[in-house]
Amino acid sequence: MPQHAQSTSEPIGSIDPAGLHLRFHPDAVLRTKARPVGEVTDNVREVAQRMLQIMHEEEGIGLAAPQVGLPWRMFVCLVPEDPIPGASPEGFQEDTAGQPLVCIDPDLTPGGAPDSFEEGCLSLPDIRGQINRQIEVSMEATGLDGNRFTINAAGLLARCIQHEVDHLNGVLIIDKFGQLDRLRTRSALRRLERKAR
Ligand code: ZN
């Protein structure tokens, strides 16, 4: 994990949002530990809008800044309805369902029991596998207005949040696959890695 820039306080530079595009494994930026964003500037807001646009175009439910080439601790998500059977609505913040969420410098406290569910990733096309995660999560993050907010999520939103925060730490779903999924997706992964050369 190169570019470990966690403690820096230098300002985030000015990024042209139009130049951002989806990055695929094995792009090194996906393995970078992202740095805190800090102040929410107009440029950060423009980048967030562009990320929401890319997520929508790619039909994803979540997208982290490293996936568009920016090692920033920021992600967007939109979980319209929850297909996970038995997802507990308890503690779920209703007003976030179906609305895009922009989360900057998130802090997570996962809770509840671990559960296994199939996941994919926009940066790993055609690769899916079972991932164990806690079924609930409490997250504190900064919104586009610059204020900290807290969300208690369950089900798919909780899973999506944990997946995106993994991206901010340079972690991909393939790192968490069991042996069976590792074997099953091996050739698709090799194809992807060959394509990048
Ligand atoms: Zn992903």
Side-chain angles (χ1 to χ4, degrees):
M1 275 189 228
Q3 308 268 324
H4 193 273
Q6 187 175 30
S7 60
T8 182
S9 58
E10 62 189 280
I12 296 270
S14 188
I15 298 294
D16 176 12
L20 300 175
H21 62 272
L22 188 59
R23 304 299 184 92
F24 298 98
H25 171 79
D27 192 317
V29 73
L30 296 170
R31 295 310 197 168
T32 302
K33 185 170 167 72
R35 55 190 261 197
V37 174
E39 193 193 345
V40 181
T41 61
D42 284 347
N43 191 226
V44 169
R45 278 185 277 269
E46 287 164 7
V47 167
Q49 289 309 320
R50 174 72 182 131
M51 285 173 60
L52 285 165
Q53 186 188 16
I54 293 171
M55 180 177 74
H56 180 71
E57 285 168 5
E58 303 291 337
E59 298 177 358
I61 62 167
L63 184 70
Q67 291 183 278
V68 296
L70 294 176
W72 296 4
R73 299 194 78 77
M74 171 161 103
F75 70 89
V76 298
C77 65
L78 175 55
V79 177
E81 56 186 271
D82 203 328
I84 296 182
S88 163
E90 202 181 326
F92 184 86
Q93 207 162 306
E94 287 291 342
D95 58 5
T96 61
Q99 282 180 45
L101 205 56
V102 178
C103 306
I104 298 164
D105 297 340
D107 283 318
L108 292 198
T109 311
D115 185 34
S116 182
F117 195 74
E118 192 184 70
E119 290 185 24
C121 178
L122 292 179
S123 295
L124 290 156
D126 304 324
I127 291 165
R128 303 186 67 82
Q130 295 287 324
I131 306 286
N132 263 313
R133 298 197 190 273
Q134 310 290 115
I135 58 167
E136 293 169 4
V137 72
S138 174
M139 173 180 67
E140 196 193 301
T142 305
L144 284 183
D145 60 3
N147 295 322
R148 297 293 278 175
F149 64 91
T150 302
I151 279 181
N152 296 306
L156 187 60
L157 181 59
R159 180 166 286 276
C160 181
I161 287 171
Q162 293 173 78
H163 176 120
E164 301 313 326
V165 170
D166 271 354
H167 275 300
L168 308 185
N169 296 320
V171 174
L172 298 175
I173 52 172
I174 47 175
D175 306 337
K176 298 191 159 182
F177 280 177
Q179 201 179 9
L180 210 63
D181 284 325
R182 234 175 259 269
L183 284 171
R184 210 174 41 78
T185 57
R186 195 167 54 179
S187 52
L189 198 60
R190 281 202 185 136
R191 268 198 302 279
L192 198 57
E193 287 166 356
R194 266 202 305 271
K195 222 162 123 181
R197 280 194 213 129

